[in-house]
Each structure stands twice: as structure tokens, then as C-alpha cells.
Amino acid sequence: MQTTSLRKGENVGLLTAPVVLAVSVHGFAADVSALLLGMDGRVRSDDDLVFYNHPVQDGVSIAGSAVNADLVRVPADVDRLVVVVSADPLQPGTVFTRAPLLSITQTGAPARSFTAPNFMSGETVVVLAELYRRDDGWKIRAVGQGYASGLAGLATDYGVDVESEPAATPAPLLPQGHRTSGSAGPAVDLSKVQRTAPGLLAPARHASKALVDRDIANRRAAVYLILDHDWHMEELYESFAVQAFAERVLALSATLDDDGTVPVVFSSGREPFLEEIRLDNYRGRIGQLHTQVDWGWGNVADAMRRAVGHYQESGAADPAFIVTQVGDEPWDKAEVRSLLQNTASLGVFWLFVGFGRGKLAFYKNLNASASATFTNVAFYDASKNPGSVPDERFYAGLVDAFAAWLRR
């Protein structure tokens, strides 16, 4: 039987029937487990961690290196199932380099497989896939996200209460590649990320290294995120590309603003919808929020005004770094230009990040002419799939112009 190979971030439909998710790891012994999550992206109780010491829960079971899920029997209050593989704790120092292979089989459906890109940051745990409800059925998404903080870190991220030995207050975590001498700026303390959202630790390290490399590691800013909610973005929300993008912005925020919160404004055809994504709730957060927003022709100017209004009302002393994801041209270009000019003196920096299916010439050319006056504006083309851009290059694109603006 021919097997279809999934790419990272890709999702496909499943039959509402039993499915077997078999894991193959090269070179060492590993443990396979599963998490049953509610609508909030967290377990309902500690029993929702299914592993070798608790192998059966609500239609989900572990058999050796495979997860068996009878999707008919999964309770209605379970919104997602997460498939996890972890290095055997009895083999200290073992980390993933070659990514595990996940095989997905269902009677009456094509066989599928997924192999994530290889890992390079000392990952000991990998989230391979998520099975999630969509309308009246189920879909599966290829994830391939690694954790360097072990199974306990992942369990904490999903709300499982794990016992741990008392430990001394950790020293600040240095971004990868940071030297203890000769580097500009102090080390960024990422202990809050490690404690609250260990799944974001690796991107946060890359983000902090980008700040150190540009000599702004000691600067602070209030990070905002505006998301395009045009109808043509539907596929990118469905494929979790927007969720992944928001997670990377949140990881950057953790290095610039220690409150672990990013206000999010959805730009749609009606009044912009403002909420927030935090270190303690980011799992699946964008998917939960965007379903409360109508699809429409994105009103970027209104979303920009909403973000600036929130920033001014907050009374923040630090500048605002407003990351504005755009998927197509704005319908009122003159109004956007006016807003950019009027916010130049407010301590607001605008980074328009392009990804989507539409045209982006307006944003690309904002500072193309010799007479351009937008000193607080930049554009970064993150490609149609920003998830495929390596962390180092992604964060360079995010902070290059912002760093130059801060140093003016």
C-alpha cells in the first residue's frame, strides 16, 4: 500500500474510527505517550496523560510504541489528542538528533507518515502530531516540535501537575551561542519561559540571541500582534500557520517584555477584536480566538488604531513594537499612511510581516522612495509559510529594522 508523507504543519482529515499512530525512533529507546486536551488546550485532569504507567484513558491507549485512539469513544469534552515521544530517562544524556517517524493507519483510509526536520537543540521530547476536532469530524496535524526540558516540562505546558524535587533558583539562561564575555548586553533571563512555557524555550533563545547580536539585549518594548483575518487567510488559520507565527512572536516578547503577554488584534471587516496570548495559555489560543471573529476584508487601519489606543491607555513607558501580519493590500492605503505618520512621535514601531496569498507591494514599497518619511516602519517578507523559515533567520528578519530604530 502506498504511504502519503505529510509535511510539517500539514493537516489531513481522519475517519471517525479507530486510528493507530505508531512511532519509530532510530538509535535509542524511547517512550510514547498521549495527552487528552480540552478546549483550553490543557488536560482536564492528570489522568489525561496516557503513558506506560497509565496506559488507558477514554478511548486512548498505549501499546508499546503506538498510540491507539478510538475516535468514536473519545468524550465530547476532549478537543484534541497530542502524540508525544520522549527519550528514556534511564539513558541520561540521550537527545533527539534524527527525528522520529510517525505512521498513521486507519482501516479504509490511505496510510500516512510524518518525519519532522532533524533536531539540533538538545531536545529530549518531541510532540509529533495533534488530532483535533473539526466540524463533526477529526483531523490530524503534523507538528514536530521539540522540547529540551524533558517530559516534565511538556506536561507542565499542558497543565499536568508533576512532582519535582525542590531546586535552587535557576541562573539566567543564556541564549544559544552567547558567550559569558565579549558579547554586547546582559544575558536575558528566560527562567519564566522555562517554568511556564518550556515549549517556547528554544525559539526564545534564538530571539534573545538576535537581540544580543544587535546590541539591544538590554532594551525593553511592549510587543503587540495584529493578525489579518481576511477570508483568503482561512487556509493558513486551518493549517495552524498563524498559530505557529503567533507563538514565535510570543517567544520574542518574552525577551523584550517580562509580563509574558502579547495583546492580539484581529483585523477583519468589522470592528477589530482584541484579546491576548500568554505564556500560560498559548497552546491553541489563536484557533480558539479567531473563531469568534467574522471573515471579511481586513480593515488594517482600524486594527492599527485599536493597538495604538491600547498602548496609550496602558501608560507604558517603553516603546511599542507592533508586529502586523498582512496577507494582502490594504483597501484604504491613504489612511494607513496617515496612521504611520501620526504615530511616528508616539514611540511606536511598525513591522509589517507579509505572509499569505495576496499582493503585498504597498507594504514592500513604503520606504522604497527617496522621499519616504516612515522612520518607524519596516517590512519583512516571511514567505507563504513562515514556519519553514529557521528560527535564526526568522528573528533576524523580525528585529533588524527595530534594532536600528531603537539605536537612532
Side-chain angles (χ1 to χ4, degrees):
M1 179 185 297
Q2 186 176 3
T3 299
T4 301
S5 180
L6 302 180
R7 296 167 296 175
K8 184 172 181 176
E10 187 176 0
N11 63 83
V12 294
L14 293 172
L15 303 175
T16 304
V19 57
V20 178
L21 304 118
V23 179
S24 176
V25 176
H26 177 79
F28 60 89
D31 296 319
V32 176
S33 54
L35 289 148
L36 286 69
L37 308 178
M39 285 291 293
D40 60 356
R42 299 171 75 81
V43 296
R44 301 164 300 168
S45 73
D46 291 351
D47 288 339
D48 284 344
L49 174 59
V50 187
F51 66 117
Y52 54 86
N53 276 344
H54 176 59
V56 179
Q57 179 70 31
D58 288 340
V60 180
S61 62
I62 300 294
S65 60
V67 175
N68 297 281
D70 187 344
L71 300 180
V72 175
R73 296 177 52 211
V74 175
D77 60 347
V78 173
D79 184 63
R80 285 189 289 155
L81 307 174
V82 177
V83 180
V84 178
V85 59
S86 55
D88 188 342
L90 299 179
Q91 300 181 29
T94 302
V95 298
F96 288 99
T97 52
R98 289 182 58 179
L101 168 67
L102 177 67
S103 300
I104 306 142
T105 56
Q106 274 189 306
T107 301
R112 299 182 175 96
S113 67
F114 168 58
T115 303
N118 289 332
F119 300 102
M120 299 183 295
S121 301
E123 289 86 350
T124 58
V125 175
V126 178
V127 175
L128 288 174
E130 289 181 340
L131 286 69
Y132 60 98
R133 295 185 187 273
R134 179 60 66 197
D135 299 325
D136 294 327
W138 286 85
K139 302 188 80 171
I140 184 168
R141 176 170 74 106
V143 178
Q145 177 177 320
Y147 282 70
S149 51
L151 192 57
L154 175 136
T156 302
D157 215 7
Y158 284 111
V160 180
D161 185 17
V162 294
E163 296 181 0
S164 59
E165 295 297 324
T169 302
L173 295 169
L174 301 182
Q176 291 183 341
H178 181 89
R179 296 192 297 266
T180 56
S181 64
S183 295
V188 177
D189 186 350
L190 297 180
S191 57
K192 182 174 183 177
V193 180
Q194 185 180 43
R195 182 175 64 255
T196 309
L200 296 181
L201 187 56
R205 279 179 167 144
H206 283 282
S208 60
K209 183 178 186 300
L211 301 182
V212 168
D213 289 347
R214 288 152 184 82
D215 199 24
I216 59 168
N218 61 340
R219 304 296 293 270
R220 295 292 172 260
V223 179
Y224 283 76
L225 177 61
I226 295 176
L227 294 174
D228 186 352
H229 207 259
D230 275 12
W231 63 269
H232 62 78
M233 289 290 299
E234 185 174 6
E235 180 184 345
L236 293 171
Y237 279 90
E238 174 74 12
S239 69
F240 293 86
V242 181
Q243 169 73 34
F245 175 72
E247 290 178 9
R248 292 172 109 179
V249 173
L250 179 61
L252 172 65
S253 173
T255 71
L256 284 169
D257 186 355
D258 64 3
D259 70 354
T261 299
V262 173
V264 180
V265 182
F266 289 88
S267 166
S268 68
R270 299 188 179 183
E271 183 177 347
F273 176 68
L274 187 147
E275 254 293 347
E276 62 184 30
I277 183 171
R278 306 190 307 268
L279 292 177
D280 63 356
N281 76 353
Y282 76 94
R283 288 286 183 186
R285 179 69 169 166
I286 299 303
Q288 296 160 15
L289 293 176
H290 96 86
T291 57
Q292 303 175 46
V293 186
D294 291 334
W295 296 107
W297 298 100
N299 192 335
V300 179
D302 277 354
M304 292 169 64
R305 271 191 290 269
R306 186 72 186 275
V308 172
H310 184 279
Y311 170 64
Q312 292 180 305
E313 292 165 7
S314 74
D318 297 318
F321 182 18
I322 305 181
V323 179
T324 306
Q325 179 265 317
V326 289
D328 206 346
E329 302 279 87
W331 60 268
D332 192 340
K333 296 180 174 69
E335 190 172 2
V336 172
R337 286 181 178 274
S338 177
L339 274 165
L340 295 177
Q341 289 175 332
N342 293 339
T343 56
S345 62
L346 299 179
V348 174
F349 184 85
W350 300 94
L351 178 69
F352 293 102
V353 181
F355 77 87
R357 305 288 186 257
K359 297 178 180 179
L360 300 170
F362 170 78
Y363 299 105
K364 292 178 180 179
N365 295 323
L366 277 171
N367 284 325
S369 68
S371 59
T373 58
F374 301 121
T375 58
N376 61 325
V377 177
F379 175 79
Y380 170 48
D381 189 345
S383 80
K384 291 185 178 181
N385 178 20
S388 65
V389 180
D391 277 339
E392 184 175 359
R393 183 151 55 92
F394 177 82
Y395 285 114
L398 235 58
V399 305
D400 268 344
F402 176 62
W405 177 75
L406 283 179
R407 294 194 300 263
R408 287 175 65 91

